[in-house]
Each structure stands twice: as structure tokens, then as C-alpha cells.
Amino acid sequence: MELNKHLADQGANEALVELFSAIEDASKIVQSEVSRAGLGADIYGAKGSENIQGEEQQKLDVYADECFIHAFRGSGQVAGLASEEQDNALQFDESLKGEYVVMIDPLDGSSNIDVNVAIGTIFAIYRRVSKSGETLIEADFLQAGRDQVAAGYVNYSVSTQMVLSTGNGTHIYTLDPESGTYQLISENVKIPADGKVYSINEVNLDDFDDNLKRYAQHCKDKRKEDGKRMYTGRYIGSLVADFHRNLLKGGIYVYPATVDSPNGKLRLLYECNPMSFLAENAGGKGSDGVQNILDIKPTELHQRCPFYVGSPVMMDEALPSI
Ligand code: AHM
Ligand code: MG
């Protein structure tokens, strides 16, 4: 079943279905560009600029950002957008009547672009709180994750897949290169309760708090009844790819506060919130180590937070006090 038909079956209104058409269109352009990387096209490498967070922008980061902005602006359904690659929130004057605002990381896993490893687009969709036709306000963008209307990601990998939720389960669609349509392949995916995979950048081990050090050791020590190890370590360095594998196999992904990133590295609005929404809709959990990610009231557009997400049993073992 095609994505737009499935969305409508799930009760999405026409405006939301159209908004998703914009995501489909932009993701197909990005996918096509990603697939040509290395073919002599000048796609790899740094753009020579930095985003507001002081991170070097890659050419594909900027290309993907432009594609999605163009698609959302043209859809008429989106009044404004906040992007990892934009200093400030954008307002689309031509679609001020749009009912939605979008938060987006247009190309996540930038460090993996040049080495042909999976990368992704992550997005969160909210209904605006300001009145239709009026100028957007800060509160439109600083909504708690719990208020997401929909969230998802596109995983540009062996195949291109979109994973999304409109609050009614988490579903997976594969881009059929022949028809150019996303086809439903898994409805209502459930993350295994106790997973197999522990995903964390262990170079930061010395920076972990005592509880996380304990949990990291626990993952190494825990054995099944037959004496074999319970867990295995897998860390790609693209949140989309690490999350996607853990969603299917069961697992936990952690990016804690570190010396280099004292508030964690990942951004609440367009990385942690959408992933937590997808996890919850698949029976998993997301936390900053203190509270449910979806309950955090954001104070800044590019706010960072420590991030734990994954299978419920592993999350409970990692964070026994919450
Ligand atoms: P990005 O949005 O600049 O690509 O950064 C986010 C990425 C995540 O996809 C990934 O999980 C993490 O950064 C990897 O960071 P590190 O290399 O510090 O482990
Ligand atoms: Mg990112």
C-alpha cells in the first residue's frame, strides 16, 4: 500500500497527507543526490561554512536543507520551519495559512556522508499554536514533544526507507525505485522488549556518570542462561541508522553528557523528540536520564540534551531511578 493511502487510512487529514507528499518529494531528490555521490559529481566534502552550533556544514547538509525547505514552502501546508542548518526559525509568508510547523535535521550523520555509510533525515511536525494567517510566534516552535502531530525519519541506506508515526503506531515504508513511491512494508512495528544491542560511543566512557558506567559494565557482563553474552555493541554514528537497527532488533542508544558536549550532543527539537515519539509508538521509551524526553518544555530552538532511547527493559535497567 502506498504511503499516502496508508496515512489517509490511519485518519490523517488532507493537509497532513499533502505535507507528507512534500517530505516524499524532497527525500527522493536527496536520495538521488546521495546515490550519485562519488560519481564525479561535486557532492562530497565540506561546504566551507558552519551552522549556528559551530559544526562544519557538508555540501549535502546544505543541499538537503534547501530541498526540504523548498518542498515545505511549496506544499502550502507548512507555515514555518526550524532546521539544524538554519540559525533562526523560518516563516513562509506565502503559506502563512499553513496549519503546521516542522522541525528538521535535513541530513543526520554528516560525518558518514563521505564514507558511504547510512545517513538520514529526521523530522517532527506540530500544529501551530498561533492563529492561522498570523505571524508565527516562538511558542509555535518550542512545543513539548508530546504535542507532535507526527514524526519520522528517512534512512538513506541499502534501500531508502521512511519510518513514521502519526501517534497511531510506528510504520515502515520502502521507496520502490521503479514506481518512485513509498510502499508500506511493516505496520505497527513493535520494538523487542529486551533487545540485543547496546549503542554508545565508548570513547566517552570516562565522562559517563556513575550510573551509566554501571550500566555499560552490566551490558558487558550480562549472560543468557546458556552462558553466552546477552548484548552486543553496535555504533554507526548515524542516529537514524543506529535507531533503525535497534527498533528492529531491540536495543538501546545512548548519547550522554560528555566533557566535549556537557548538555549532550543531540538536539531536542529535531533529533530526540521525533525519535522518542517513534519509539513510544513502537512500545519503546525515550529519556534524557531524568525525565521522559516528550515531557521536556523546550526553551531554545537548538537545545541539546542527553539522550537514552530504546527497548523498555533495557531503558529500565539503564535508568532504574526514573
Ligand atoms: P549531526 O546531526 O551533525 O550529524 O550529529 C548527530 C550525529 C548522530 O547521528 C550520531 O549518533 C552522533 O552525532 C555521533 O556523534 P559522535 O561521533 O560524537 O559519536
Ligand atoms: Mg543530526
Side-chain angles (χ1 to χ4, degrees), residues 54-101:
E55 297 160 342
E56 186 178 59
Q57 289 179 306
Q58 303 296 303
K59 287 177 194 157
L60 266 178
D61 282 331
V62 175
Y63 181 83
D65 193 42
E66 286 166 358
C67 278
F68 279 96
I69 290 173
H70 181 76
F72 287 132
R73 195 189 288 271
S75 78
Q77 305 301 338
V78 180
L81 158 149
S83 161
E84 177 176 327
E85 305 305 336
Q86 298 289 329
D87 298 2
N88 302 305
L90 304 183
Q91 170 159 338
F92 301 147
D93 289 336
E94 52 279 68
S95 43
L96 253 190
K97 287 209 160 54
E99 281 301 320
Y100 298 102
V101 288

mmCIF file of all heavy atoms in Angstrom, residues 54-101:
data_model
loop_
_atom_site.group_PDB
_atom_site.id
_atom_site.type_symbol
_atom_site.label_atom_id
_atom_site.label_comp_id
_atom_site.label_asym_id
_atom_site.label_seq_id
_atom_site.Cartn_x
_atom_site.Cartn_y
_atom_site.Cartn_z
ATOM 1 N N GLY A 54 28.293 25.791 15.417
ATOM 2 C CA GLY A 54 29.737 25.723 15.234
ATOM 3 C C GLY A 54 30.192 24.455 14.535
ATOM 4 O O GLY A 54 31.368 24.114 14.542
ATOM 5 N N GLU A 55 29.246 23.707 13.928
ATOM 6 C CA GLU A 55 29.608 22.473 13.238
ATOM 7 C C GLU A 55 29.824 22.776 11.758
ATOM 8 O O GLU A 55 29.057 23.537 11.155
ATOM 9 C CB GLU A 55 28.500 21.422 13.389
ATOM 10 C CG GLU A 55 28.260 21.001 14.816
ATOM 11 C CD GLU A 55 26.892 20.364 15.031
ATOM 12 O OE1 GLU A 55 26.004 20.541 14.174
ATOM 13 O OE2 GLU A 55 26.713 19.734 16.063
ATOM 14 N N GLU A 56 30.853 22.156 11.199
ATOM 15 C CA GLU A 56 31.154 22.362 9.785
ATOM 16 C C GLU A 56 30.025 21.782 8.932
ATOM 17 O O GLU A 56 29.625 20.632 9.123
ATOM 18 C CB GLU A 56 32.469 21.624 9.471
ATOM 19 C CG GLU A 56 32.979 21.871 8.087
ATOM 20 C CD GLU A 56 34.304 21.160 7.853
ATOM 21 O OE1 GLU A 56 34.345 19.929 7.984
ATOM 22 O OE2 GLU A 56 35.291 21.863 7.553
ATOM 23 N N GLN A 57 29.497 22.584 8.012
ATOM 24 C CA GLN A 57 28.417 22.082 7.160
ATOM 25 C C GLN A 57 29.007 21.339 5.964
ATOM 26 O O GLN A 57 29.947 21.812 5.323
ATOM 27 C CB GLN A 57 27.557 23.235 6.647
ATOM 28 C CG GLN A 57 26.697 23.862 7.743
ATOM 29 C CD GLN A 57 25.864 25.011 7.216
ATOM 30 O OE1 GLN A 57 26.398 25.944 6.625
ATOM 31 N NE2 GLN A 57 24.576 24.946 7.426
ATOM 32 N N GLN A 58 28.428 20.172 5.659
ATOM 33 C CA GLN A 58 28.814 19.425 4.470
ATOM 34 C C GLN A 58 27.951 19.913 3.297
ATOM 35 O O GLN A 58 26.849 20.423 3.493
ATOM 36 C CB GLN A 58 28.585 17.926 4.691
ATOM 37 C CG GLN A 58 29.326 17.369 5.900
ATOM 38 C CD GLN A 58 30.834 17.469 5.744
ATOM 39 O OE1 GLN A 58 31.396 16.956 4.789
ATOM 40 N NE2 GLN A 58 31.492 18.155 6.678
ATOM 41 N N LYS A 59 28.464 19.727 2.068
ATOM 42 C CA LYS A 59 27.676 20.168 0.903
ATOM 43 C C LYS A 59 26.290 19.515 0.902
ATOM 44 O O LYS A 59 25.288 20.156 0.605
ATOM 45 C CB LYS A 59 28.417 19.798 -0.383
ATOM 46 C CG LYS A 59 29.626 20.677 -0.637
ATOM 47 C CD LYS A 59 30.350 20.217 -1.876
ATOM 48 C CE LYS A 59 31.721 20.871 -1.916
ATOM 49 N NZ LYS A 59 32.671 20.102 -2.732
ATOM 50 N N LEU A 60 26.255 18.220 1.261
ATOM 51 C CA LEU A 60 24.953 17.540 1.232
ATOM 52 C C LEU A 60 24.025 18.009 2.349
ATOM 53 O O LEU A 60 22.814 17.961 2.199
ATOM 54 C CB LEU A 60 25.144 16.023 1.311
ATOM 55 C CG LEU A 60 25.197 15.283 -0.023
ATOM 56 C CD1 LEU A 60 25.435 13.792 0.215
ATOM 57 C CD2 LEU A 60 23.944 15.460 -0.860
ATOM 58 N N ASP A 61 24.591 18.462 3.477
ATOM 59 C CA ASP A 61 23.752 19.048 4.547
ATOM 60 C C ASP A 61 22.975 20.227 3.983
ATOM 61 O O ASP A 61 21.763 20.369 4.174
ATOM 62 C CB ASP A 61 24.624 19.630 5.679
ATOM 63 C CG ASP A 61 25.187 18.594 6.629
ATOM 64 O OD1 ASP A 61 24.558 17.550 6.813
ATOM 65 O OD2 ASP A 61 26.265 18.860 7.195
ATOM 66 N N VAL A 62 23.705 21.081 3.289
ATOM 67 C CA VAL A 62 23.105 22.320 2.778
ATOM 68 C C VAL A 62 22.138 21.998 1.633
ATOM 69 O O VAL A 62 21.032 22.544 1.560
ATOM 70 C CB VAL A 62 24.221 23.303 2.320
ATOM 71 C CG1 VAL A 62 23.632 24.546 1.676
ATOM 72 C CG2 VAL A 62 25.101 23.670 3.517
ATOM 73 N N TYR A 63 22.529 21.059 0.773
ATOM 74 C CA TYR A 63 21.662 20.666 -0.347
ATOM 75 C C TYR A 63 20.334 20.116 0.191
ATOM 76 O O TYR A 63 19.248 20.493 -0.257
ATOM 77 C CB TYR A 63 22.392 19.611 -1.194
ATOM 78 C CG TYR A 63 21.601 19.163 -2.384
ATOM 79 C CD1 TYR A 63 21.612 19.900 -3.565
ATOM 80 C CD2 TYR A 63 20.817 18.009 -2.335
ATOM 81 C CE1 TYR A 63 20.863 19.496 -4.667
ATOM 82 C CE2 TYR A 63 20.067 17.605 -3.418
ATOM 83 C CZ TYR A 63 20.102 18.346 -4.583
ATOM 84 O OH TYR A 63 19.352 17.950 -5.660
ATOM 85 N N ALA A 64 20.422 19.185 1.170
ATOM 86 C CA ALA A 64 19.209 18.580 1.721
ATOM 87 C C ALA A 64 18.345 19.641 2.398
ATOM 88 O O ALA A 64 17.118 19.651 2.255
ATOM 89 C CB ALA A 64 19.573 17.486 2.718
ATOM 90 N N ASP A 65 18.980 20.556 3.103
ATOM 91 C CA ASP A 65 18.235 21.628 3.774
ATOM 92 C C ASP A 65 17.433 22.434 2.744
ATOM 93 O O ASP A 65 16.236 22.677 2.929
ATOM 94 C CB ASP A 65 19.246 22.531 4.513
ATOM 95 C CG ASP A 65 18.578 23.479 5.481
ATOM 96 O OD1 ASP A 65 17.648 23.038 6.182
ATOM 97 O OD2 ASP A 65 18.978 24.661 5.536
ATOM 98 N N GLU A 66 18.093 22.794 1.650
ATOM 99 C CA GLU A 66 17.407 23.591 0.613
ATOM 100 C C GLU A 66 16.244 22.810 -0.006
ATOM 101 O O GLU A 66 15.168 23.355 -0.251
ATOM 102 C CB GLU A 66 18.403 24.013 -0.475
ATOM 103 C CG GLU A 66 19.339 25.122 0.005
ATOM 104 C CD GLU A 66 20.547 25.343 -0.908
ATOM 105 O OE1 GLU A 66 20.699 24.614 -1.915
ATOM 106 O OE2 GLU A 66 21.352 26.259 -0.596
ATOM 107 N N CYS A 67 16.463 21.510 -0.233
ATOM 108 C CA CYS A 67 15.398 20.670 -0.837
ATOM 109 C C CYS A 67 14.157 20.631 0.045
ATOM 110 O O CYS A 67 13.032 20.797 -0.436
ATOM 111 C CB CYS A 67 15.871 19.224 -0.980
ATOM 112 S SG CYS A 67 16.853 18.925 -2.394
ATOM 113 N N PHE A 68 14.373 20.379 1.332
ATOM 114 C CA PHE A 68 13.210 20.258 2.220
ATOM 115 C C PHE A 68 12.518 21.608 2.406
ATOM 116 O O PHE A 68 11.291 21.682 2.426
ATOM 117 C CB PHE A 68 13.611 19.623 3.561
ATOM 118 C CG PHE A 68 13.702 18.130 3.476
ATOM 119 C CD1 PHE A 68 14.914 17.497 3.253
ATOM 120 C CD2 PHE A 68 12.556 17.350 3.557
ATOM 121 C CE1 PHE A 68 14.992 16.107 3.130
ATOM 122 C CE2 PHE A 68 12.613 15.970 3.441
ATOM 123 C CZ PHE A 68 13.840 15.344 3.225
ATOM 124 N N ILE A 69 13.306 22.666 2.519
ATOM 125 C CA ILE A 69 12.683 23.987 2.677
ATOM 126 C C ILE A 69 11.814 24.299 1.456
ATOM 127 O O ILE A 69 10.666 24.722 1.575
ATOM 128 C CB ILE A 69 13.763 25.074 2.891
ATOM 129 C CG1 ILE A 69 14.395 24.900 4.266
ATOM 130 C CG2 ILE A 69 13.170 26.476 2.741
ATOM 131 C CD1 ILE A 69 15.584 25.803 4.542
ATOM 132 N N HIS A 70 12.372 24.037 0.279
ATOM 133 C CA HIS A 70 11.631 24.296 -0.962
ATOM 134 C C HIS A 70 10.324 23.492 -0.986
ATOM 135 O O HIS A 70 9.258 24.004 -1.325
ATOM 136 C CB HIS A 70 12.535 23.928 -2.145
ATOM 137 C CG HIS A 70 11.913 24.175 -3.471
ATOM 138 N ND1 HIS A 70 11.790 25.437 -4.010
ATOM 139 C CD2 HIS A 70 11.338 23.328 -4.364
ATOM 140 C CE1 HIS A 70 11.186 25.360 -5.173
ATOM 141 N NE2 HIS A 70 10.895 24.092 -5.416
ATOM 142 N N ALA A 71 10.414 22.216 -0.620
ATOM 143 C CA ALA A 71 9.225 21.351 -0.669
ATOM 144 C C ALA A 71 8.172 21.795 0.342
ATOM 145 O O ALA A 71 6.974 21.850 0.029
ATOM 146 C CB ALA A 71 9.632 19.904 -0.409
ATOM 147 N N PHE A 72 8.607 22.138 1.557
ATOM 148 C CA PHE A 72 7.625 22.554 2.574
ATOM 149 C C PHE A 72 6.974 23.880 2.186
ATOM 150 O O PHE A 72 5.767 24.063 2.328
ATOM 151 C CB PHE A 72 8.290 22.684 3.952
ATOM 152 C CG PHE A 72 8.637 21.362 4.580
ATOM 153 C CD1 PHE A 72 9.884 21.141 5.130
ATOM 154 C CD2 PHE A 72 7.702 20.334 4.637
ATOM 155 C CE1 PHE A 72 10.217 19.919 5.713
ATOM 156 C CE2 PHE A 72 8.013 19.104 5.213
ATOM 157 C CZ PHE A 72 9.283 18.903 5.749
ATOM 158 N N ARG A 73 7.801 24.792 1.695
ATOM 159 C CA ARG A 73 7.279 26.097 1.282
ATOM 160 C C ARG A 73 6.221 25.905 0.191
ATOM 161 O O ARG A 73 5.148 26.487 0.226
ATOM 162 C CB ARG A 73 8.430 26.962 0.750
ATOM 163 C CG ARG A 73 8.124 28.423 0.622
ATOM 164 C CD ARG A 73 9.249 29.125 -0.110
ATOM 165 N NE ARG A 73 10.469 29.267 0.664
ATOM 166 C CZ ARG A 73 10.737 30.289 1.465
ATOM 167 N NH1 ARG A 73 9.875 31.257 1.607
ATOM 168 N NH2 ARG A 73 11.880 30.348 2.108
ATOM 169 N N GLY A 74 6.536 25.019 -0.761
ATOM 170 C CA GLY A 74 5.629 24.796 -1.898
ATOM 171 C C GLY A 74 4.368 24.040 -1.520
ATOM 172 O O GLY A 74 3.368 24.108 -2.228
ATOM 173 N N SER A 75 4.406 23.310 -0.413
ATOM 174 C CA SER A 75 3.235 22.479 -0.063
ATOM 175 C C SER A 75 2.040 23.329 0.362
ATOM 176 O O SER A 75 0.900 22.886 0.274
ATOM 177 C CB SER A 75 3.583 21.516 1.074
ATOM 178 O OG SER A 75 3.585 22.202 2.318
ATOM 179 N N GLY A 76 2.312 24.535 0.847
ATOM 180 C CA GLY A 76 1.225 25.394 1.323
ATOM 181 C C GLY A 76 0.673 24.963 2.675
ATOM 182 O O GLY A 76 -0.198 25.612 3.235
ATOM 183 N N GLN A 77 1.169 23.850 3.204
ATOM 184 C CA GLN A 77 0.631 23.337 4.476
ATOM 185 C C GLN A 77 1.502 23.704 5.665
ATOM 186 O O GLN A 77 1.108 23.509 6.807
ATOM 187 C CB GLN A 77 0.507 21.802 4.417
ATOM 188 C CG GLN A 77 -0.297 21.290 3.249
ATOM 189 C CD GLN A 77 -1.711 21.826 3.252
ATOM 190 O OE1 GLN A 77 -2.243 22.238 4.292
ATOM 191 N NE2 GLN A 77 -2.347 21.852 2.090
ATOM 192 N N VAL A 78 2.717 24.201 5.377
ATOM 193 C CA VAL A 78 3.679 24.468 6.452
ATOM 194 C C VAL A 78 3.876 25.977 6.584
ATOM 195 O O VAL A 78 4.244 26.652 5.622
ATOM 196 C CB VAL A 78 5.029 23.772 6.145
ATOM 197 C CG1 VAL A 78 6.045 24.042 7.250
ATOM 198 C CG2 VAL A 78 4.821 22.283 5.965
ATOM 199 N N ALA A 79 3.621 26.490 7.772
ATOM 200 C CA ALA A 79 3.759 27.939 7.975
ATOM 201 C C ALA A 79 5.205 28.333 8.281
ATOM 202 O O ALA A 79 5.619 29.455 8.022
ATOM 203 C CB ALA A 79 2.841 28.385 9.108
ATOM 204 N N GLY A 80 5.965 27.401 8.832
ATOM 205 C CA GLY A 80 7.347 27.726 9.170
ATOM 206 C C GLY A 80 8.125 26.491 9.577
ATOM 207 O O GLY A 80 7.545 25.418 9.769
ATOM 208 N N LEU A 81 9.431 26.689 9.705
ATOM 209 C CA LEU A 81 10.295 25.526 9.917
ATOM 210 C C LEU A 81 11.510 25.916 10.759
ATOM 211 O O LEU A 81 12.016 27.034 10.649
ATOM 212 C CB LEU A 81 10.700 25.035 8.537
ATOM 213 C CG LEU A 81 11.938 24.198 8.303
ATOM 214 C CD1 LEU A 81 11.683 23.282 7.127
ATOM 215 C CD2 LEU A 81 13.141 25.055 8.000
ATOM 216 N N ALA A 82 11.962 24.987 11.589
ATOM 217 C CA ALA A 82 13.244 25.147 12.279
ATOM 218 C C ALA A 82 14.139 24.005 11.829
ATOM 219 O O ALA A 82 13.699 22.851 11.805
ATOM 220 C CB ALA A 82 13.048 25.093 13.788
ATOM 221 N N SER A 83 15.356 24.337 11.429
ATOM 222 C CA SER A 83 16.268 23.329 10.881
ATOM 223 C C SER A 83 17.606 23.384 11.599
ATOM 224 O O SER A 83 18.054 24.462 12.000
ATOM 225 C CB SER A 83 16.484 23.600 9.391
ATOM 226 O OG SER A 83 17.650 22.954 8.921
ATOM 227 N N GLU A 84 18.249 22.216 11.675
ATOM 228 C CA GLU A 84 19.602 22.175 12.252
ATOM 229 C C GLU A 84 20.533 23.114 11.494
ATOM 230 O O GLU A 84 21.472 23.658 12.060
ATOM 231 C CB GLU A 84 20.148 20.744 12.204
ATOM 232 C CG GLU A 84 21.571 20.635 12.706
ATOM 233 C CD GLU A 84 22.119 19.215 12.775
ATOM 234 O OE1 GLU A 84 21.351 18.276 13.049
ATOM 235 O OE2 GLU A 84 23.329 19.045 12.561
ATOM 236 N N GLU A 85 20.266 23.309 10.215
ATOM 237 C CA GLU A 85 21.179 24.094 9.382
ATOM 238 C C GLU A 85 20.823 25.576 9.298
ATOM 239 O O GLU A 85 21.476 26.332 8.584
ATOM 240 C CB GLU A 85 21.246 23.490 7.970
ATOM 241 C CG GLU A 85 21.623 22.016 7.934
ATOM 242 C CD GLU A 85 22.937 21.683 8.659
ATOM 243 O OE1 GLU A 85 23.793 22.584 8.807
ATOM 244 O OE2 GLU A 85 23.077 20.531 9.105
ATOM 245 N N GLN A 86 19.746 25.992 9.969
ATOM 246 C CA GLN A 86 19.324 27.398 9.926
ATOM 247 C C GLN A 86 19.475 28.020 11.311
ATOM 248 O O GLN A 86 18.983 27.443 12.294
ATOM 249 C CB GLN A 86 17.851 27.511 9.497
ATOM 250 C CG GLN A 86 17.566 26.972 8.104
ATOM 251 C CD GLN A 86 18.133 27.870 7.014
ATOM 252 O OE1 GLN A 86 18.219 29.094 7.171
ATOM 253 N NE2 GLN A 86 18.523 27.258 5.906
ATOM 254 N N ASP A 87 20.088 29.201 11.381
ATOM 255 C CA ASP A 87 20.286 29.848 12.682
ATOM 256 C C ASP A 87 18.951 30.091 13.390
ATOM 257 O O ASP A 87 18.803 29.849 14.578
ATOM 258 C CB ASP A 87 20.985 31.211 12.512
ATOM 259 C CG ASP A 87 22.371 31.062 11.905
ATOM 260 O OD1 ASP A 87 22.749 29.912 11.594
ATOM 261 O OD2 ASP A 87 23.059 32.084 11.738
ATOM 262 N N ASN A 88 18.003 30.616 12.616
ATOM 263 C CA ASN A 88 16.712 31.010 13.200
ATOM 264 C C ASN A 88 15.576 30.267 12.506
ATOM 265 O O ASN A 88 15.741 29.772 11.393
ATOM 266 C CB ASN A 88 16.493 32.524 13.025
ATOM 267 C CG ASN A 88 17.607 33.310 13.672
ATOM 268 O OD1 ASN A 88 17.894 33.141 14.863
ATOM 269 N ND2 ASN A 88 18.284 34.139 12.892
ATOM 270 N N ALA A 89 14.425 30.254 13.169
ATOM 271 C CA ALA A 89 13.249 29.629 12.553
ATOM 272 C C ALA A 89 12.852 30.426 11.307
ATOM 273 O O ALA A 89 12.992 31.651 11.280
ATOM 274 C CB ALA A 89 12.107 29.599 13.554
ATOM 275 N N LEU A 90 12.364 29.732 10.286
ATOM 276 C CA LEU A 90 11.909 30.393 9.061
ATOM 277 C C LEU A 90 10.396 30.478 9.063
ATOM 278 O O LEU A 90 9.725 29.553 9.511
ATOM 279 C CB LEU A 90 12.316 29.596 7.817
ATOM 280 C CG LEU A 90 13.789 29.276 7.605
ATOM 281 C CD1 LEU A 90 13.961 28.542 6.284
ATOM 282 C CD2 LEU A 90 14.616 30.559 7.619
ATOM 283 N N GLN A 91 9.898 31.575 8.530
ATOM 284 C CA GLN A 91 8.458 31.699 8.348
ATOM 285 C C GLN A 91 8.186 31.793 6.855
ATOM 286 O O GLN A 91 8.847 32.557 6.147
ATOM 287 C CB GLN A 91 7.968 32.964 9.039
ATOM 288 C CG GLN A 91 6.548 33.271 8.685
ATOM 289 C CD GLN A 91 5.884 34.175 9.699
ATOM 290 O OE1 GLN A 91 6.301 34.266 10.844
ATOM 291 N NE2 GLN A 91 4.854 34.838 9.269
ATOM 292 N N PHE A 92 7.247 30.986 6.363
ATOM 293 C CA PHE A 92 6.921 31.009 4.931
ATOM 294 C C PHE A 92 5.739 31.943 4.720
ATOM 295 O O PHE A 92 4.589 31.550 4.907
ATOM 296 C CB PHE A 92 6.581 29.600 4.432
ATOM 297 C CG PHE A 92 7.682 28.604 4.615
ATOM 298 C CD1 PHE A 92 7.394 27.274 4.869
ATOM 299 C CD2 PHE A 92 9.022 28.976 4.523
ATOM 300 C CE1 PHE A 92 8.403 26.343 5.030
ATOM 301 C CE2 PHE A 92 10.045 28.053 4.683
ATOM 302 C CZ PHE A 92 9.732 26.732 4.942
ATOM 303 N N ASP A 93 6.026 33.175 4.304
ATOM 304 C CA ASP A 93 4.956 34.165 4.175
ATOM 305 C C ASP A 93 3.873 33.716 3.213
ATOM 306 O O ASP A 93 2.698 33.986 3.402
ATOM 307 C CB ASP A 93 5.531 35.508 3.704
ATOM 308 C CG ASP A 93 6.331 36.145 4.819
ATOM 309 O OD1 ASP A 93 6.052 35.814 5.988
ATOM 310 O OD2 ASP A 93 7.236 36.946 4.526
ATOM 311 N N GLU A 94 4.317 33.005 2.134
ATOM 312 C CA GLU A 94 3.339 32.603 1.115
ATOM 313 C C GLU A 94 2.404 31.505 1.632
ATOM 314 O O GLU A 94 1.396 31.223 1.018
ATOM 315 C CB GLU A 94 4.013 32.188 -0.190
ATOM 316 C CG GLU A 94 5.117 31.143 -0.099
ATOM 317 C CD GLU A 94 6.464 31.727 0.326
ATOM 318 O OE1 GLU A 94 6.566 32.164 1.479
ATOM 319 O OE2 GLU A 94 7.404 31.718 -0.487
ATOM 320 N N SER A 95 2.763 30.862 2.750
ATOM 321 C CA SER A 95 1.852 29.823 3.261
ATOM 322 C C SER A 95 1.545 30.073 4.736
ATOM 323 O O SER A 95 1.513 29.166 5.547
ATOM 324 C CB SER A 95 2.429 28.425 3.046
ATOM 325 O OG SER A 95 3.785 28.390 3.356
ATOM 326 N N LEU A 96 1.345 31.341 5.046
ATOM 327 C CA LEU A 96 1.048 31.703 6.441
ATOM 328 C C LEU A 96 -0.191 31.004 6.967
ATOM 329 O O LEU A 96 -0.376 30.845 8.156
ATOM 330 C CB LEU A 96 0.830 33.213 6.531
ATOM 331 C CG LEU A 96 1.944 34.018 7.185
ATOM 332 C CD1 LEU A 96 1.501 35.429 7.428
ATOM 333 C CD2 LEU A 96 2.399 33.362 8.483
ATOM 334 N N LYS A 97 -1.029 30.590 6.043
ATOM 335 C CA LYS A 97 -2.259 29.909 6.463
ATOM 336 C C LYS A 97 -1.988 28.438 6.790
ATOM 337 O O LYS A 97 -2.878 27.733 7.265
ATOM 338 C CB LYS A 97 -3.317 30.033 5.374
ATOM 339 C CG LYS A 97 -3.926 31.434 5.268
ATOM 340 C CD LYS A 97 -5.363 31.348 4.758
ATOM 341 C CE LYS A 97 -6.191 32.574 5.073
ATOM 342 N NZ LYS A 97 -5.596 33.828 4.621
ATOM 343 N N GLY A 98 -0.784 27.975 6.484
ATOM 344 C CA GLY A 98 -0.441 26.589 6.810
ATOM 345 C C GLY A 98 -0.681 26.330 8.285
ATOM 346 O O GLY A 98 -0.423 27.189 9.130
ATOM 347 N N GLU A 99 -1.175 25.165 8.592
ATOM 348 C CA GLU A 99 -1.543 24.838 9.983
ATOM 349 C C GLU A 99 -0.381 24.210 10.751
ATOM 350 O O GLU A 99 -0.476 23.993 11.948
ATOM 351 C CB GLU A 99 -2.718 23.849 9.984
ATOM 352 C CG GLU A 99 -4.073 24.489 9.743
ATOM 353 C CD GLU A 99 -4.389 25.539 10.798
ATOM 354 O OE1 GLU A 99 -4.095 25.319 11.988
ATOM 355 O OE2 GLU A 99 -4.897 26.599 10.411
ATOM 356 N N TYR A 100 0.720 23.900 10.035
ATOM 357 C CA TYR A 100 1.769 23.115 10.675
ATOM 358 C C TYR A 100 3.104 23.841 10.720
ATOM 359 O O TYR A 100 3.393 24.698 9.884
ATOM 360 C CB TYR A 100 1.958 21.785 9.928
ATOM 361 C CG TYR A 100 0.721 20.922 9.963
ATOM 362 C CD1 TYR A 100 -0.124 20.846 8.857
ATOM 363 C CD2 TYR A 100 0.384 20.212 11.107
ATOM 364 C CE1 TYR A 100 -1.280 20.068 8.893
ATOM 365 C CE2 TYR A 100 -0.767 19.432 11.155
ATOM 366 C CZ TYR A 100 -1.592 19.367 10.039
ATOM 367 O OH TYR A 100 -2.728 18.607 10.097
ATOM 368 N N VAL A 101 3.919 23.479 11.700
ATOM 369 C CA VAL A 101 5.328 23.876 11.715
ATOM 370 C C VAL A 101 6.148 22.585 11.775
ATOM 371 O O VAL A 101 5.692 21.578 12.330
ATOM 372 C CB VAL A 101 5.679 24.796 12.910
ATOM 373 C CG1 VAL A 101 5.087 26.179 12.719
ATOM 374 C CG2 VAL A 101 5.234 24.197 14.234
#
